[in-house]
Each structure stands twice: as structure tokens, then as C-alpha cells.
């Protein structure tokens, strides 16, 4: 016997006794509200298919259909497993079909259940887009009541994840339909509407511009959003409106110099970082601030001098609690606010210091910042790791900081560890940071404090090499992602600069000549120019030039001819001519040029080129070939004179460019 009557209710629902259905449904509704155990039992007793059958059957009384949708909505508010059961049973499609009803209470019940499902982490959001009639219908019924407005805006904001989703919503009139809701008298409608505008415009230039030019009652959406930044509005509403304006700005719809951005949005975001705001607003404020100013030097400068923002962000790094204190979130999981605040601060510091040396100096003076960055890279939280690496990358753009502050911290060790063992998401920014740390003056190359500007081989600490930097970078050059190939070859180029011959040989051995010369055909011009830069750095120093040309000379000369004959921009041709200039500086390597009449004729062609940079580069190479202090100069001069190169130099004495004139004059002075 079932003491509490559960089986009786379920039996009645599953029976064909229509007189018992509604009464039993109401009893079930009352039992499952707020009781996850009861929800689980009802689901396991097989009630869901029956409820879906009633909802879809238009001959069933609408009151029963409504109660069925209400019960499904209550079940959806249970555990993740409950939602999965509903989705697997086809609940979403049935509820969406139910929205075609004329009964507003039934529609609202269906929408509330759908809202709960789509608020879950693994919601079947694609079902909104599979049937092309769904979005237009949702927009059509949007204005029926506060409930439809709240539910549909929440559904849209949680189902808009890709550019295709953004475009589909925009194409079906979402912007015009949502605009009036910004002026709603209901907070519960305004907030999801703001979130909806944010996800619609995020990194979508077309939708952002459409939103920025749309109006309601003669007022533009940016102006409607500006009203919501007012300090008499709830704090979370100010934050949400500032995020919308930020995304419109980054989407190219509002210029960064606009007062709405400089005076209102920026100051609102900085205000959200203050201690009197919730932790959630602190994090969201710093993250959005970082995004707003990321690519605009003027906004970075304005932010850096606004309301002690650097000191405020520094306090984030010292927060240690993991409890959820005074936040607006309804998420029940425990949040590690220490990590959330740290990653937000790192991101904001990275954006603040992206361009200006003085701002970087202020950031670097933050107490124990480098220790926080190192600890952040060693943290198990991916967001903290990413934030720390971004911050390090921003600061590593500073020559001054590389030469001073970074000397005292082995930041490259955790960085290399992340590149070896960390998430793939970290690779682009981590490899870019490593490139900076491998510059000639960088402590990643371990220069002693007493060392002269030009680093000698014996003074270099091999710790970075021993950690496998060359292997890591060489592997990156074979990746399919263009940014990783670029960072790989860029890092090797920096490592080869003024390096020991043994390091240069190691670089060539690890990357392999086949891969090195394959990169000269890379479709990305940036990869090509850095590959040429690597070859140029390898061929520096006469002893090194002669040694490497003896081994790889034929391949290098073939590559040079290949580039010079190709259809490339001036910068690539110039870099290639500079390689020849370096080859011409070798004692024995000169013969690779002197013995190749085709290359010599190409040099003559570039001496007469319309671009002065190419003229200078070609003339510099000739100057090295005829340098009269080197053995065999007389014979080389005679050959070049016979080719007409001396006459070409004399013609160039009339050049208007001062640098070219000096190069020509120097070359002519070598002829005896």
C-alpha cells in the first residue's frame, strides 16, 4: 500500500480516467515544488511522456495542458539529471510547439519551462535555430506580457553563442523587438534584455552597427543604454549597460573618442571595480574594462589616471576568500573569488600596459606583482594562468622592464612549463611572451648585470636552452595555426640574435633545413619575413657566416634567388638583400655571391630599383664585396667593375636620399 499517495497520483495520470487527471496533476505539482527527491521519483515513475502527450494534444483541456507545463517547469528546476531527462524525452520541441496556442497562461507556462532548460549549462540551444519558424514566432509573442518578455529575452541571451546565432536573431528583427524593453518598468525584463543586447553585439561588427543605428521613440539604442548608466539605477543594471556599450564600441559601432565611452562607460566600469561593489561586479567590471581599453592607447591612458585604478586592481591580487559573499548570482556552487579576482586583475593590467611605458612602470611597481604573476602561471586554474601570461606578455613588451625588473625573477620557467604541459589555449599568448623574453637584452637569455650591451657567448646561461626552448619553438613552426608558426619562427629569430655559433647550429639542426626553407613558401608574409630574419641572424659574425655557409650555402643561395624572383612586398625583398649583405661580409662566404653572376645581376637591378630601401640594401651588399681591407678585394673589384657596377655607383651619386648617398660614396671609396 502506498501510504503517501504518490502511486495513486501517478496511476491516475497514467490511466484513461479523464476525470482524475487534473486533480492528480495539481497534487503532483504541489508535491514536487522545492523537493528534488519528489521530482526524481515522479520522473522515474514515467510521468514525463504522459505530460508531453497532453501538451501536444490540442483536444486536451487547456487547463490540464497548462498544469502539465507547470510541472515540467518544476521538474526542470531540480538537478542537471532532471533537465537531461526532459531534453532526452523531446520536451523542448513539444514546448516550442505549444507556443502556437492562443492561451496566454499556457504560453507562459511553456516559456517558463523553456527558460529554465536553456539556463542550464548543457542546454540544447541548437533546437531554437533548427526550425526557422521558431525565432520569428518568439519575437512575435515577445510583447504579450511581462512574463513572455522576461522568458524570451532570457532564452535568447542564453542561446546566442556564435556569430550565426547573432546573425539569425538580428535578421529576424530581434533588435527592433528588444529596443522597447530597455525602457520597461520591470527590472526582471530590463536585465535579460541588456544581457541579450550584449551577446548579440559581442565581436560582431554587423550586428553592433545595426544596434547602434536602431531607434525607439526617436532615441537611439546607445542613448537608451546611456540612461541605464545613471547612478540611480541598480548597480548590476549599470554594469550590464556598460557592457553593452563596451561591445558596441569594440564592434566598431561607437568610436572610442565618443563621450559616451570616454566619460560614461569607462568611469562606470572603473567604479564597478571598487570595494563597495559586489565581488561579482568587481570581477565583471575589471574584465569588461580590460576588453574596452585593450586596443586603444588613449583609453588606456585615461583609465590609468582614473580613480586609483591600478591600486584598486592590486588589491584584487591579495584577496584570499573562496566564499560567495554579497553577490547577485543565483548559482549555488562555491566560487573561488580569489582566483576570479586575480585573473580579472591580470587581464586589466595587461590591457592597461599594452602600449605605454609609463603605465607599465606604474603596474610593475605594484607590490609583489612579479611573484603574483609567477604564482598565477603555476596556478591550476586555467583562467588565472591565462590572465597571468597575458599580463606578463604585456609587461614583456617593455625594453626597460626586461632589463631591470625581470632580471630578478625567473618568469620564463613557469612559462616554459605551460608551453610544454599547459592547455592548448595558452599557446598563442605564451609563445608570444617567450618571443619577447628571448630578445637579446632579455633575462631569458640570462645576462649578468655587469655585461656590456653586446652579449658574448661565454656569458650566456644555458638554462633556457636546457629547458628546451629551441625544441618548443621549432615544433611550433610546423603547426597548422598561422599565429603559432609565426611565434615559433619569431622566437627562434630572437634566440639567434648575437648568439653563440653552437646555439645557431643547434637551431638549424632542430628545425631542420627542410622545414626552415619550407617556411620561405609560407602563405603568411609575416612568417616569411621572420624566417628571413632568422637566416639573417644566423649569418652574423664573419666566422659564423663562413662556417654556416660552408654547410648550408647552396641552399641559402637558392632560397635567396627564389625570394628575389618572387612577387613579394618591399619589406621581404629588403630582408633578403640584407641576407646577401651578411653573406658578403664573410671572408670565404663572399664567393657564393661572386661566383653567381645571376645574383650579381640581380643586385645591379635592385641598385636601380624605384624603392630606395632596396637600393640601399643592394648597395650595402656591393660595399661588403669590394671592401678593400679584405683578402681578394682587388680581384672582386675588377670583376664588378667589368660588370658595370662601379659605373652604376657613380650614377647613384646623384641620389637625393642621404643614406643611399653615403652607402654609394663608401662603396666607391673601396675601389682602387
Amino acid at each position: 500500500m502506498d501510504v503517501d499517495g504518490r502511486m495513486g497520483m501517478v496511476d491516475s495520470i497514467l490511466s484513461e480516467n479523464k476525470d482524475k487527471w487534473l486533480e492528480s496533476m495539481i497534487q503532483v505539482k504541489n508535491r514536487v515544488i522545492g523537493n528534488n527527491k519528489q521530482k526524481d521519483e515522479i520522473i522515474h515513475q514515467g510521468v514525463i511522456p504522459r505530460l508531453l502527450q497532453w501538451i501536444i494534444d490540442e483536444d486536451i483541456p487547456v487547463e490540464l495542458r497548462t498544469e502539465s507545463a507547470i510541472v515540467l517547469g518544476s521538474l526542470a528546476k531540480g538537478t542537471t539529471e532532471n533537465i537531461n531527462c526532459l531534453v532526452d524525452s523531446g520536451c523542448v520541441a513539444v514546448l516550442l510547439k505549444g507556443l502556437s496556442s492562443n492561451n496566454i497562461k499556457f504560453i507562459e507556462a511553456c516559456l517558463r519551462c523553456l527558460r529554465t532548460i536553456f539556463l542550464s549549462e548543457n542546454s540544447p540551444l541548437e533546437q531554437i535555430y533548427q526550425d526557422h519558424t521558431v525565432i520569428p514566432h518568439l519575437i512575435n509573442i515577445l510583447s504579450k506580457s511581462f512574463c513572455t518578455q522576461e522568458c524570451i529575452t532570457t532564452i535568447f541571451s542564453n542561446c546566442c553563442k556564435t556569430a550565426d546565432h547573432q546573425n539569425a536573431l538580428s535578421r529576424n528583427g530581434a533588435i527592433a523587438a528588444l529596443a522597447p524593453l530597455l525602457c520597461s518598468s520591470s527590472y526582471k525584463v530590463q536585465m535579460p534584455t541588456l544581457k541579450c543586447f550584449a551577446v548579440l553585439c559581442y565581436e560582431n561588427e554587423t550586428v553592433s552597427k545595426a544596434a547602434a543605428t536602431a531607434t525607439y521613440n526617436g532615441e537611439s539604442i546607445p542613448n537608451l543604454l546611456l540612461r541605464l548608466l545613471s547612478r540611480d539605477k541598480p548597480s548590476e543594471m549599470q554594469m550590464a549597460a556598460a557592457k553593452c556599450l563596451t561591445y558596441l564600441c569594440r564592434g566598431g559601432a561607437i568610436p572610442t573618442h565618443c563621450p559616451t565611452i570616454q566619460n560614461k562607460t569607462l568611469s562606470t566600469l572603473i567604479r564597478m571595480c571598487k570595494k563597495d561593489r559586489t565581488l561579482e561586479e568587481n570581477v565583471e567590471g575589471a574584465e569588461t574594462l580590460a576588453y574596452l581599453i585593450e586596443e586603444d592607447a588613449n583609453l588606456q591612458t585615461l583609465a590609468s589616471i582614473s580613480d586609483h585604478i591600478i591600486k584598486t586592481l592590486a588589491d584584487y591580487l591579495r584577496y584570499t576568500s573562496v566564499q560567495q559573499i554579497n553577490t547577485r548570482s543565483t548559482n549555488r556552487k562555491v566560487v573561488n573569488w580569489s582566483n576570479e579576482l586575480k585573473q580579472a586583475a591580470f587581464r586589466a593590467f595587461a590591457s592597461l600596459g599594452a602600449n605605454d611605458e609609463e603605465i607599465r612602470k606604474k603596474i610593475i611597481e605594484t607590490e609583489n606583482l612579479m611573484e603574483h604573476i609567477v604564482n598565477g602561471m603555476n596556478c591550476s586554474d586555467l583562467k588565472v594562468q591565462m590572465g597571468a601570461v597575458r599580463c606578463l606578455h604585456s609587461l614583456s613588451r617593455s625594453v626597460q622592464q626586461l632589463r631591470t625588473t625581470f632580471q630578478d625573477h625567473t618568469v620564463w620557467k613557469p612559462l616554459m612549463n605551460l608551453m610544454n604541459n599547459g592547455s592548448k589555449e595558452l599557446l598563442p599568448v605564451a609563445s608570444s611572451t617567450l618571443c619577447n623574453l628571448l630578445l637579446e637584452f632579455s633575462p631569458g637569455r640570462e645576462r649578468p648585470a655587469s655585461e656590456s650591451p653586446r652579449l658574448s657567448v661565454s656569458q650566456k646561461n644555458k638554462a633556457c636552452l636546457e629547458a628546451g626552448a629551441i625544441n618548443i619553438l621549432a615544433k611550433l613552426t610546423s603547426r597548422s595555426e598561422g599565429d603559432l608558426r609565426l611565434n615559433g619562427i619569431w622566437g627562434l629569430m630572437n634566440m639567434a640574435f648575437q648568439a653563440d655559433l653552437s646555439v645557431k647550429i643547434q637551431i638549424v639542426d632542430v628545425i631542420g633545413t627542410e622545414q626552415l626553407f619550407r617556411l620561405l613558401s609560407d602563405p603568411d608574409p609575416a612568417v616569411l619575413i621572420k624566417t628571413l630574419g632568422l637566416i639573417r641572424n644566423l649569418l652574423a659574425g664573419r666566422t659564423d657566416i663562413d662556417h654556416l655557409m660552408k654547410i648550408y650555402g647552396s641552399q641559402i643561395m637558392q632560397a635567396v634567388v627564389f625570394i628575389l624572383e618572387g612577387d613579394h612586398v618591399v619589406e621581404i625583398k629588403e630582408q633578403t638583400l640584407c641576407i646577401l649583405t651578411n653573406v658578403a661580409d664573410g671572408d670565404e662566404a663572399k664567393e657564393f655571391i661572386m661566383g653567381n653572376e645571376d645574383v650579381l645581376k640581380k643586385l645591379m637591378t635592385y641598385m636601380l630599383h624605384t624603392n630606395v630601401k632596396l637600393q640601399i640594401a643592394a648597395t650595402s651588399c656591393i660595399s661588403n664585396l669590394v671592401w678593400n681591407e679584405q683578402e681578394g678585394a682587388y680581384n672582386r673589384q675588377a670583376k664588378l667593375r667589368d660588370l658595370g657596377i662601379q659605373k652604376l655607383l657613380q650614377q647613384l651619386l646623384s641620389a637625393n636620399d642621404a643614406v643611399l648617398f653615403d652607402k654609394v660614396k663608401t662603396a666607391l671609396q673601396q675601389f682602387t
Side-chain angles (χ1 to χ4, degrees):
M1 179 179 178
D2 182 45
V3 177
D4 61 12
R6 282 191 300 274
M7 288 305 296
M9 291 184 301
V10 172
D11 287 342
S12 295
I13 289 171
L14 298 177
S15 75
E16 296 304 318
N17 187 350
K18 298 181 180 181
D19 295 335
K20 294 279 189 177
W21 286 350
L22 182 58
E23 178 186 353
S24 297
M25 278 303 302
I26 294 172
Q27 290 176 344
V28 168
K29 178 180 71 174
N30 293 335
R31 280 189 179 277
V32 299
I33 291 175
N35 191 323
N36 282 355
K37 184 178 179 181
Q38 293 283 359
K39 297 180 201 293
D40 289 342
E41 290 186 6
I42 291 296
I43 290 173
H44 291 148
Q45 287 162 11
V47 171
I48 292 177
R50 184 61 150 179
L51 303 187
L52 296 177
Q53 179 188 348
W54 285 343
I55 289 172
I56 208 168
D57 188 348
E58 295 181 1
D59 293 328
I60 296 294
V62 72
E63 187 178 1
L64 180 57
R65 297 172 73 198
T66 302
E67 291 295 336
S68 299
I70 291 171
V71 170
L72 289 176
S74 182
L75 296 178
K77 290 181 179 179
T79 63
T80 302
E81 288 72 23
N82 294 163
I83 291 178
N84 291 339
C85 285
L86 291 172
V87 172
D88 293 343
S89 299
C91 180
V92 173
V94 171
L95 292 169
L96 288 172
K97 187 172 183 180
L99 299 179
S100 60
S101 169
N102 293 322
N103 186 286
I104 187 62
K105 289 186 177 180
F106 176 57
I107 290 173
E108 289 177 350
C110 291
L111 283 172
R112 280 193 291 266
C113 184
L114 286 167
R115 175 188 61 184
T116 302
I117 291 173
F118 286 112
L119 279 169
S120 65
E121 291 184 0
N122 298 313
S123 63
L125 54 90
E126 287 300 335
Q127 291 193 39
I128 292 289
Y129 302 95
Q130 286 170 353
D131 183 342
H132 296 307
T133 65
V134 170
I135 292 174
H137 184 64
L138 287 170
I139 290 174
N140 186 49
I141 64 174
L142 178 64
S143 61
K144 285 188 176 293
S145 68
F146 281 142
C147 178
T148 59
Q149 291 168 4
E150 179 188 348
C151 290
I152 292 173
T153 51
T154 302
I155 290 168
F156 282 166
S157 64
N158 285 277
C159 290
C160 187
K161 305 291 186 182
T162 69
D164 286 341
H165 296 164
Q166 293 169 322
N167 295 334
L169 289 169
S170 177
R171 188 168 55 247
N172 283 285
I175 293 171
L178 292 169
L181 305 188
L182 292 172
C183 303
S184 173
S185 59
S186 171
Y187 170 87
K188 289 184 177 181
V189 171
Q190 283 180 303
M191 286 306 297
T193 301
L194 285 167
K195 184 179 179 184
C196 207
F197 269 115
V199 297
L200 269 171
C201 297
Y202 181 65
E203 295 189 343
N204 190 315
E205 183 177 344
T206 302
V207 176
S208 292
K209 289 181 176 178
T213 54
T215 60
Y216 172 65
N217 281 348
E219 198 164 6
S220 70
I221 284 177
N223 281 345
L224 296 176
L225 293 169
L226 189 57
R227 285 186 185 181
L228 302 181
L229 290 182
S230 173
R231 295 199 185 199
D232 63 353
K233 299 296 182 184
S235 184
E236 56 269 27
M237 187 175 289
Q238 296 176 48
M239 179 65 244
K243 181 176 280 190
C244 289
L245 288 165
T246 293
Y247 291 173
L248 287 171
C249 178
R250 287 300 307 270
I254 304 177
T256 56
H257 58 77
C258 176
T260 297
I261 299 300
Q262 289 194 354
N263 300 339
K264 299 294 185 180
T265 307
L266 186 65
S267 60
T268 299
L269 293 175
I270 290 173
R271 194 166 65 248
M272 292 298 149
C273 297
K274 292 298 180 182
K275 288 182 179 179
D276 62 342
R277 306 291 169 167
T278 66
L279 294 174
E280 191 169 7
E281 285 164 357
N282 285 165
V283 171
E284 196 172 5
E287 289 177 339
T288 310
L289 173 66
Y291 184 62
L292 174 64
I293 68 175
E294 185 177 21
E295 295 183 354
D296 190 273
N298 187 46
L299 286 180
Q300 291 158 14
T301 301
L302 287 174
S304 71
I305 59 175
S306 299
D307 207 7
H308 309 288
I309 186 62
I310 292 176
K311 183 179 183 301
T312 299
L313 293 169
D315 290 338
Y316 282 28
L317 301 176
R318 291 187 280 273
Y319 194 89
T320 57
S321 176
V322 297
Q323 297 179 350
Q324 188 170 358
I325 303 171
N326 190 28
T327 76
R328 69 176 188 269
S329 175
T330 57
N331 197 329
R332 297 169 188 165
K333 70 180 181 181
V334 174
V335 177
N336 188 327
W337 286 110
S338 175
N339 283 352
E340 286 297 308
L341 288 164
K342 281 185 176 67
Q343 64 85 22
F346 286 141
R347 288 175 63 179
F349 279 146
S351 291
L352 281 165
N355 290 289
D356 189 90
E357 189 73 16
E358 284 303 309
I359 298 176
R360 292 190 196 112
K361 187 174 183 293
K362 290 178 184 177
I363 294 171
I364 209 78
E365 288 171 354
T366 297
E367 185 178 359
N368 299 322
L369 177 65
M370 298 310 297
E371 285 84 352
H372 286 301
I373 290 176
V374 169
N375 291 336
M377 288 192 288
N378 287 326
C379 180
S380 59
D381 188 314
L382 177 59
K383 287 174 71 177
V384 178
Q385 291 176 349
M386 179 66 81
V389 175
R390 281 181 175 174
C391 186
L392 180 62
H393 178 250
S394 180
L395 297 176
S396 70
R397 292 171 177 161
S398 168
V399 173
Q400 182 62 30
Q401 300 309 328
L402 284 170
R403 286 175 170 167
T404 55
T405 306
F406 284 28
Q407 293 278 13
D408 302 323
H409 301 86
T410 52
V411 293
W412 57 269
K413 290 182 179 178
L415 181 68
M416 299 268 285
N417 182 55
L418 287 178
M419 291 187 66
N420 274 319
N421 307 306
S423 168
K424 292 180 180 179
E425 294 175 49
L426 292 164
L427 264 181
V429 66
S431 57
S432 185
T433 306
L434 183 59
C435 288
N436 291 347
L437 295 179
L438 289 171
L439 290 170
E440 188 272 336
F441 47 74
S442 164
R445 301 271 297 269
E446 299 275 339
R447 170 187 296 163
S450 60
E451 185 182 278
S452 62
R454 189 173 180 88
L455 190 62
S456 68
V457 173
S458 61
Q459 291 172 313
K460 287 182 183 176
N461 188 296
K462 297 299 187 292
C464 194
L465 295 173
E466 291 170 359
I470 294 177
N471 288 320
I472 291 172
L473 294 167
K475 286 179 181 177
L476 290 180
T477 67
S478 298
R479 294 290 293 256
S480 59
E481 304 93 328
D483 57 343
L484 294 182
R485 289 201 310 280
L486 176 60
N487 288 345
I489 198 67
W490 200 332
L492 291 173
M493 183 188 80
N494 288 348
M495 182 169 275
F497 182 63
Q498 296 185 352
D500 178 16
L501 177 60
S502 62
V503 174
K504 294 179 179 180
I505 292 173
Q506 188 179 346
I507 289 172
V508 178
D509 286 346
V510 171
I511 191 173
T513 54
E514 185 177 340
Q515 172 62 9
L516 180 61
F517 294 114
R518 185 184 297 123
L519 291 170
L520 294 175
S521 300
D522 196 278
D524 184 352
V527 172
L528 172 53
I529 202 163
K530 295 304 176 187
T531 305
L532 293 169
L534 169 59
I535 296 172
R536 183 180 175 184
N537 286 348
L538 291 170
L539 297 172
R542 284 179 185 165
T543 304
D544 294 1
I545 293 168
D546 288 337
H547 182 90
L548 291 169
M549 287 300 291
K550 192 174 293 184
I551 303 172
Y552 308 111
S554 297
Q555 293 164 293
I556 288 172
M557 294 305 293
Q558 286 176 8
V560 165
V561 172
F562 174 72
I563 298 297
L564 291 178
E565 290 181 347
D567 183 19
H568 297 290
V569 296
V570 167
E571 288 75 16
I572 289 174
K573 294 285 184 78
E574 181 186 19
Q575 191 76 274
T576 307
L577 290 170
C578 287
I579 290 173
L580 284 179
T581 300
N582 285 15
V583 171
D585 192 40
D587 290 327
E588 300 172 7
K590 285 179 170 63
E591 294 309 313
F592 280 96
I593 298 175
M594 293 302 301
N596 191 326
E597 198 161 310
D598 181 41
V599 172
L600 290 172
K601 287 181 179 178
K602 282 181 169 55
L603 286 170
M604 293 173 67
T605 300
Y606 283 105
M607 288 172 68
L608 297 174
H609 200 278
T610 55
N611 187 283
V612 71
K613 289 183 178 179
L614 299 183
Q615 288 182 290
I616 291 169
T619 304
S620 296
C621 181
I622 296 298
S623 184
N624 281 353
L625 290 173
V626 299
W627 202 258
N628 58 30
E629 294 179 1
Q630 291 183 284
E631 186 177 344
Y634 179 80
N635 291 333
R636 289 192 294 275
Q637 290 172 11
K639 181 172 182 177
L640 296 182
R641 188 182 290 113
D642 291 343
L643 286 172
I645 287 179
Q646 187 176 20
K647 287 184 179 180
L648 276 183
L649 289 169
Q650 289 168 345
Q651 291 176 31
L652 291 174
L653 282 172
S654 60
N656 294 323
D657 186 88
V659 176
L660 176 58
F661 177 81
D662 287 342
K663 293 287 184 184
V664 170
K665 185 178 178 182
T666 300
L668 282 171
Q669 287 172 348
Q670 304 308 310
F671 281 89
T672 55

